[in-house]
Structure formats: C-alpha cells, structure tokens
Amino acid sequence: MTMALDVGRWLKLVRCNRPLIHNMTNLVVTNVVANALLALGASPVMAYAHEEVEEMAKLAGAVALNMGTLTPDLVAGMILAGRAAAEAQIPVVFDPVGVGATQYRQQAAQEILAQVPLSVLKGNGGEISHMVGVGGSVRGVDAQTVGSGLREAMAEYARAHQLVVVATGAEDLVTDGQTVWVLSNGDVRLSEITGSGCMVTALIAAFLAICDAPCQLAQMAEASVAAITCFNVAAETAARMAQGPGTFVPQLFDALKALTPEDVNRRARLKDTVA
Amino acid sequence: MTMALDVGRWLKLVRCNRPLIHNMTNLVVTNVVANALLALGASPVMAYAHEEVEEMAKLAGAVALNMGTLTPDLVAGMILAGRAAAEAQIPVVFDPVGVGATQYRQQAAQEILAQVPLSVLKGNGGEISHMVGVGGSVRGVDAQTVGSGLREAMAEYARAHQLVVVATGAEDLVTDGQTVWVLSNGDVRLSEITGSGCMVTALIAAFLAICDAPCQLAQMAEASVAAITCFNVAAETAARMAQGPGTFVPQLFDALKALTPEDVNRRARLKDTVA
Amino acid sequence: MTMALDVGRWLKLVRCNRPLIHNMTNLVVTNVVANALLALGASPVMAYAHEEVEEMAKLAGAVALNMGTLTPDLVAGMILAGRAAAEAQIPVVFDPVGVGATQYRQQAAQEILAQVPLSVLKGNGGEISHMVGVGGSVRGVDAQTVGSGLREAMAEYARAHQLVVVATGAEDLVTDGQTVWVLSNGDVRLSEITGSGCMVTALIAAFLAICDAPCQLAQMAEASVAAITCFNVAAETAARMAQGPGTFVPQLFDALKALTPEDVNRRARLKDTVA
C-alpha cells in the first residue's frame, strides 16, 4: 500500500454530517436503499417527479441515479436531476443497471453519460466491462462475464471522462485514472440477495457528499473506496450472524449501524496500485 | 387524564372487522405498509390507476393517501380516490410526506387539501409545523425543526378545517381542535428505519375504518390515538427484541401481530388536555 | 397417486440452469419476488419499459406477469412482453391479482387473456373462481369466497384455453385439464404476509423455464406443482423458525435457499386425480 486510506475517518464524517442523499433508484430496491442509508447514518430521500427533481437534487449532498427499472420518463428525470446537481457542484453517481442486456438500456446509459457530468460511474463487472468497451456481458441485471484488461480500460475511461469508475465483484475495483484500488472485503451472501449493488451505489453517494466542493477525482475515489469497504465489512459481520440470505438482510443493516471506525480500519483489505 | 381511552377495545374492533384499507402510498414503503396492516389484522390493497381508484376507494373501510414519491399522475389519482371516498362517507387520511422540502410538494399538498375532504391530516413534526403555518422545516422527508406553538396551531387548524391533525415525533400530538392528546410511547429505532411514519398513516386508516359513519371528529381523534399507541407499544417490544434497525423491522411485525388489548392498555402512555 | 412427481429433480434442474425470469410484477412485492427467485436459485430481472420488454422477455427462460398494481401503461407493456415471449416459445404465467374487485381489473385481465397465449393462469381461490366463472369473490386482493365446483370448472377452462390453471389456498389446485393435483403443504403464515401469492407466481415461472420447448401442458402442470411444493415446504420450515409474520419472511428465504431435493420429496403432500 503506497498510502493509508483512513476509512474510519470517512465513516465518522458521514455520521457527523448526516448528508441528504437524493435517490432515483429502481422499484425493486427503494426500501433497502433507504434503510442502508439510514443504517449508515445518512438521510435518504426518493423523488422522481420532473416538477421537483432539480430542486431536490440541489438540496442534497449527493445524487444517486440507478436505471434498474428505467422508463423514458425516469431517464428524463434523471437527466434533469443530474444536470441540476452537477451545476451546483453536487456529486452524482450513476449505476447503469443491466446495461448491455437490452438495446434500450444501452441507449439510456449513453444518453445519461452524454447529458450528465458524472462524478462516479459504478456497476458490476459485467456492466462496467460493457461500458468501458472490453466486452463482458450481463444476464438480466447480473454480471455474467468480465472483459479482459478491465482494470486498464477502466483507468483509461476514467481519464478520458474525468470521473471515478467502480466495478464491483468478488474483488471491487475503483479508479480515478491514476490509482487503481483493489478491495477484497465482502461476502458471497451479497450475490444471493437483491439490491446489494444498488445499496453500494447509494452509499457511495453518501460518502461523496463529504468531499470538499469542487470535488477532486482523487478524493472521490477515496470516498468510493471508503463506502464500499464499510458496506463490505458490515456484510462480513452480517454473514457470520445470518443463517441464509433472508436473515442476512436485517443483519446487514444491524452491522452497518454498529460498525465502528476502528473496526472498519482494522478489517479493511485494500490495495492501491498505479494505474 | 380526563377520560380513559380504551385502546385495546379499538384494537379488538379492528381485528374483528378486518377492514379493507386502500393505500396510495410511496414506492419506498409499499411492502412494509402492507405487512404492517396485515400484522395489525387489517386487509391492505394498493391501487393507483385512475380507471379504478374511485371504485376501490368505495369498497374500502378507509383510504390512506401518502405523497412520499408523488407525481402529477399520482396526485390526480389521489384526488379521485379521496373525493370518491369522502362522498361515500369513507374516512381519508393524508400524509403530506416531505411537504416544505420542494415547491412541488407544497403545491401538491395544497391541491389535495383543497380538493379532498380529509378526516385526518398526519405528518411528522416538521411537516405539520409547515402545514399549520408555524414554521418548522423538513430535510428531504425527515423533520428537522418543529415550529413553536405547534400544539395551539394544530388545534386551530383542526377547528378551521374540521379534521383531526396528527404530528408524530418523540411525543406524538393528536387533536380534533377540542382536545390535544400527547402520546409518549415509541422507540428511537422508529427513526432509524424507513417507513415508520407511513406505517402509522396506514394504521390510522385501519382504525378510522371502525368509526361509525358519519364519523365524528372526536371519535376519529380517538381512532388516531389508538392506532399510534398500538404501533408505538409494538415498537417498544420490537426494540427490546432487536439488535439493530435491521432486526427491528421483522420484530415490529411480530410484535404488532402478538399485541393484546390488555397489553396495549397497560402500557399506553396518553395524556389529554383541553386544546 | 397414479404417478410419482419428483419435485426434488425439478428443484435440482432449476438450480443447475439458473433461469433468467423476467418479472412484470406489482409495486408492493418487487423486492420479495426478486429475493425469492434468488433464494430458489433463479435469476430475477424486472423490466417495464415498452422500449425493452420484448427484448428482455426473449432473453428470459420464462415471463411472470402480475397485475397487482396495474395501470394502462403496465397492461400494454405486459401484452408486449407476453406476446414476444409466446412467439419465441417462452412460457408465460399470468397472475390476475384482485380480478373481480374492480371493473378495470376485470377488463385488464380479459384483455391480457385475449392477447397473450398463456402457459399458466394462476391466482388465489377467489380470483380463479371468478376467472373460470363459478362465482367466488375477492376483497381487495384477498380471496373471500371460492366458487363451488371450482375443480371441475378449472379443468374445463384449462381444456378450453389449453393452459394450466392454478388456484392457491389452504389446499392448492393445479390442473392441465386432464389431471387435477391437490397440494397440501404450506402454512397459515403465508396469509399473514404480503406477496406470498406473487412469489409463487414468480417461482412457477422459474420452473416453467426448465420445460422442454415447445412446452407440453402436462409438463407445465408438473412444473407448477413442483414450484408450489418447494415454496410451501420452505414455508413450513420457516414457520417453525419464526415467532410471527415479521420473522417469517427472512426465514422463508433462508429455508428456500437451504431446501434440498431429498427434503422436498420426503415432505411433499401431493394427490393427483383424473379431472
């Protein structure tokens, strides 16, 4: 490790600031996303109407856009919210759920990328492989295969688009184009429940809300690393307490709530390398 | 206490009648609202299409309107359902979630108030402070500050609009304009999960469904007090069983289901004062 | 029993194939439906936009349509998805939630039946009584009464429309018009939570995805019997572990995940009779 990342300090700052996170997320996970943010110590709000998304986004500390159950109306709303946030230097994370599965998801993701200045692009390995152009595939909304040379392609994409790229999986990758972080916490139970990836997206938003405006890429990469690590360390605790995927979910919120800065720093498994 | 309120008797009546409750609620909480009503002993139905909301509302014992994730289409549907219910002397409770956070929420809440003869207006302390005009603020959908003189303003608003006003918080306030009830049950865990307030709104509807038509304000205030008290006493049990906010949710439904009339009467902490 | 149905073998096949199930389901249950499919060993995807439902349906092993919170837009989308699936010989199960409660649900169900070649029509006893024309009634979305002669009418309907008909209840009935299966597993807790019926619909889709194309009615009936039996046996386990309806839900997912082919075969309570 070339430099130490104090994840626990990030966690403390989130809890002190209790940032308001504006979520435009999918119909499947709204409840667990809200509960994950509350358990972390942030304040979730969901708002979708074109009539209010710009105003709500500007009130928030960060905005999380997730196209898991996209419609043309939702995509248009996301663009309104995302642009309003970006203009006010409020960070925006975008999760192109299921991109590559259908033409429409491909088209919608491209439109959002073109219209909204993003802080973080986050997906599973299959989605990000697809986005950064190294193949890879998704099946519905799950990663099926990851493209080869993903790390390098992510870093190049981050530099080209001036954003942080996050790919989740057995190992999670985070890069700002200069550094690539490899994160090894987590548990296989996360792949046995719906909404794991969507909760991570929302948590990244909560940590981005702590960055100093205008946010620097390097700091937003650290925020993303801290968010994923808190979530994954909590998941490890929850997996030990749970008997299956059903009991894992409530244990995950308990563990997120109980997570201490010391605990997460002690258990964090991070590696950073030059991109 | 100037008169005894037999909360347990109300609970028994709900369970005997198993009222059908038509919910038009937000995307975040539909599942927990349905489960809370089932655990209580009521029968939930969610219906949103303009083509059916009037018919569904008229089949119900009461209607719960919640604007947590409002859209123009949903607001129009709520007005259709609310008006149809009111015409058939079916009680309507309205929860102006997040009112005050954006212009659009303000406008939508005013439109619903103007168009639908409500039985109960229910929100958190910030929302109700805003509605009754004593300041107060919300942040996203959470109460941030409560206005001073809230109690008096609520009572005046109740008299002016001839409805019951409910403000939830560490202490819950219920008034029909003549009496102000102060309820002291509950647990801090309720603020650590999403949907607490929305579940209360739905439960109030279930108790309103037991009132004799045409419902009197005083009786509807008692119904609201009974609903909140059942929910909050169950929350106290759940908090003792839970290790965190995640395990609190399933415990809350278990406790609501297991709650006995005797138990709730023994544990109820109510105070009523002249408004 | 005239022939043995190896439910465990069906379960093994689902887990080996991990079929992608395209769900167009209601707003109340999306999360639990996704988690039930994951716990079983299938891969859920939810997609609603007209722009992508045909493509997504054709990628899936089966499609589950559920009109619990129907709108004209959703109904039109279901017809697009259902027709695309049927043309590609992909099985479609349809759950006419709350049919009979309102005129609009009646009309929407008839439109879907007329437009989409269904593999399985599945509802609770009240809904199916209504659909097959023997009276019966629903209250909101719950069965209130079941028509007399339901079994015979279901078999006749199955023969006339060349599909499998499933009616859930204390006993579940499944028929392809030739055989009527009577299933006696399950637990009363299933009626105390929201989404039981919707999860069964999704699980039937997962088992239909295993049938050889073009699917034969007799095989699809067996798939339905196997799906319901796996779910109900898991529910029996969960009920023993749970203290109430709240803790029952996580236990249900744990039990579905842990269910072994041997266990389900040993505990299955099936009877098949000539229609």
Side-chain angles (χ1 to χ4, degrees), chain C residues 4-275:
Chain C
L5 198 162
D6 189 345
V7 174
R9 190 176 152 272
W10 278 97
L11 176 59
K12 261 189 246 181
L13 286 170
V14 170
R15 288 185 180 153
C16 288
N17 284 277
R18 198 175 170 77
L20 180 69
I21 306 305
H22 178 197
N23 297 278
M24 298 181 73
T25 191
N26 71 69
L27 298 174
V28 185
V29 302
T30 43
N31 189 267
V32 290
V33 162
N35 276 330
L37 285 168
L38 285 166
L40 176 71
S43 178
V45 68
M46 272 70 175
Y48 301 92
H50 293 197
E51 287 78 2
E52 69 167 349
V53 288
E54 293 166 292
E55 193 179 350
M56 193 64 93
K58 283 187 271 188
L59 292 169
V63 175
L65 307 177
N66 174 314
M67 67 174 214
T69 52
L70 78 177
T71 59
D73 188 70
L74 181 63
V75 171
M78 285 182 175
I79 290 171
L80 287 174
R83 291 184 69 87
E87 275 162 31
Q89 300 198 320
I90 293 164
V92 179
V93 53
F94 172 47
D95 190 343
V97 178
V99 72
T102 64
Q103 294 284 328
Y104 178 54
R105 288 186 188 233
Q106 172 65 15
Q107 193 186 306
Q110 291 305 331
E111 197 186 339
I112 290 169
L113 276 167
Q115 299 278 334
V116 180
L118 298 177
S119 299
V120 178
L121 173 68
K122 182 263 163 195
N124 62 38
E127 289 155 356
I128 295 298
S129 293
H130 184 87
M131 294 295 286
V132 303
V134 292
S137 62
V138 295
R139 183 161 174 266
V141 293
D142 294 323
Q144 190 154 6
T145 61
V146 169
S148 71
L150 175 58
R151 250 181 242 206
E152 295 70 23
M154 282 173 61
E156 202 182 305
Y157 192 94
R159 285 190 299 269
H161 294 78
Q162 284 296 296
L163 45 65
V164 172
V165 183
V166 176
T168 56
E171 283 189 333
D172 309 295
L173 303 173
V174 177
T175 185
D176 58 0
Q178 307 303 321
T179 304
V180 179
W181 299 87
V182 183
L183 319 183
S184 309
N185 291 104
D187 191 273
V188 71
R189 287 271 181 242
L190 290 171
S191 66
E192 298 175 0
I193 62 166
T194 193
S196 294
C198 306
M199 288 190 266
V200 169
T201 300
L203 262 53
I204 289 174
F207 282 74
L208 289 176
I210 303 308
C211 294
D212 313 302
C215 305
Q216 303 300 313
L217 279 188
Q219 203 191 14
M220 295 197 295
E222 291 198 13
S224 303
V225 169
I228 300 166
T229 301
C230 286
F231 185 73
N232 281 347
V233 168
E236 293 171 5
T237 304
R240 282 199 303 271
M241 304 296 290
Q243 279 76 52
T247 47
F248 176 68
V249 176
Q251 292 292 343
L252 181 58
F253 299 135
D254 282 10
L256 255 177
K257 178 81 185 174
L259 188 66
T260 64
E262 297 70 32
D263 204 29
V264 74
N265 275 344
R266 193 171 44 76
R267 292 163 61 190
R269 292 165 58 195
L270 317 174
K271 241 183 358 195
D272 66 297
T273 56
V274 177

Side-chain angles (χ1 to χ4, degrees), chain B residues 204-224:
Chain B
I204 289 173
F207 283 73
L208 289 176
I210 304 306
C211 294
D212 312 303
C215 306
Q216 303 299 315
L217 279 188
Q219 203 190 14
M220 295 197 295
E222 292 199 10
S224 303

Side-chain angles (χ1 to χ4, degrees), chain B:
Chain B
M1 209 185 305
T2 52
M3 58 178 184
L5 196 161
D6 189 344
V7 174
R9 190 177 152 272
W10 278 97
L11 176 59
K12 261 189 247 181
L13 286 170
V14 170
R15 288 185 182 155
C16 288
N17 283 277
R18 198 175 171 76
L20 181 68
I21 305 306
H22 178 196
N23 297 278
M24 297 181 73
T25 190
N26 72 67
L27 298 175
V28 185
V29 303
T30 43
N31 189 265
V32 291
V33 162
N35 275 330
L37 284 168
L38 284 166
L40 175 71
S43 178
V45 69
M46 272 70 176
Y48 301 91
H50 294 198
E51 286 78 2
E52 69 166 349
V53 287
E54 292 165 293
E55 194 179 350
M56 192 65 92
K58 283 187 272 188
L59 293 169
V63 174
L65 307 177
N66 173 313
M67 68 175 213
T69 52
L70 77 178
T71 60
D73 187 70
L74 181 64
V75 171
M78 285 182 174
I79 290 170
L80 287 175
R83 290 184 68 87
E87 276 162 30
Q89 300 198 319
I90 293 164
V92 179
V93 53
F94 172 47
D95 189 344
V97 178
V99 72
T102 62
Q103 294 283 330
Y104 179 55
R105 288 187 188 234
Q106 172 65 13
Q107 194 185 306
Q110 292 305 333
E111 197 187 340
I112 289 168
L113 276 168
Q115 300 279 333
V116 180
L118 298 176
S119 300
V120 178
L121 174 68
K122 181 260 162 197
N124 62 40
E127 289 155 356
I128 294 298
S129 292
H130 183 89
M131 293 295 288
V132 302
V134 291
S137 62
V138 295
R139 182 159 174 268
V141 293
D142 293 323
Q144 189 154 6
T145 61
V146 170
S148 71
L150 176 58
R151 253 182 239 205
E152 296 70 21
M154 282 173 62
E156 201 181 307
Y157 192 94
R159 285 190 298 270
H161 293 78
Q162 285 296 294
L163 44 66
V164 173
V165 184
V166 176
T168 55
E171 282 189 333
D172 309 295
L173 305 173
V174 177
T175 185
D176 58 359
Q178 307 304 320
T179 305
V180 178
W181 299 87
V182 183
L183 318 184
S184 309
N185 292 103
D187 191 274
V188 71
R189 286 270 181 241
L190 290 171
S191 66
E192 298 175 359
I193 62 165
T194 193
S196 294
C198 306
M199 289 189 267
V200 169
T201 300
L203 261 53
I204 289 173
F207 283 73
L208 289 176
I210 304 306
C211 294
D212 312 303
C215 306
Q216 303 299 315
L217 279 188
Q219 203 190 14
M220 295 197 295
E222 292 199 10
S224 303
V225 169
I228 299 166
T229 301
C230 286
F231 185 74
N232 281 347
V233 168
E236 293 171 5
T237 304
R240 283 200 304 271
M241 304 296 290
Q243 278 76 52
T247 47
F248 177 68
V249 176
Q251 292 292 343
L252 181 58
F253 299 133
D254 281 11
L256 255 177
K257 177 81 185 174
L259 188 66
T260 65
E262 297 70 33
D263 203 29
V264 73
N265 275 344
R266 193 171 44 77
R267 293 163 60 190
R269 292 165 59 195
L270 318 173
K271 245 188 346 200
D272 66 296
T273 56
V274 176

Side-chain angles (χ1 to χ4, degrees), chain A residues 18-20 30-31 34-35 38 43 45-49 51-52 55-56 59 250 253-254 257, chain B residues 27-28 68-70 72 101-105 139-142 192-194 243-247:
Chain A
R18 197 173 171 78
L20 180 68
T30 42
N31 188 266
N35 275 330
L38 285 165
S43 178
V45 69
M46 272 68 175
Y48 301 92
E51 286 78 3
E52 70 167 348
E55 193 179 352
M56 193 64 92
L59 293 168
F253 299 133
D254 281 12
K257 178 81 185 172
Chain B
L27 298 175
V28 185
T69 52
L70 77 178
T102 62
Q103 294 283 330
Y104 179 55
R105 288 187 188 234
R139 182 159 174 268
V141 293
D142 293 323
E192 298 175 359
I193 62 165
T194 193
Q243 278 76 52
T247 47

Side-chain angles (χ1 to χ4, degrees), chain A residues 52-70:
Chain A
E52 70 167 348
V53 288
E54 292 165 292
E55 193 179 352
M56 193 64 92
K58 283 186 272 188
L59 293 168
V63 174
L65 307 177
N66 173 313
M67 66 174 214
T69 51
L70 77 177

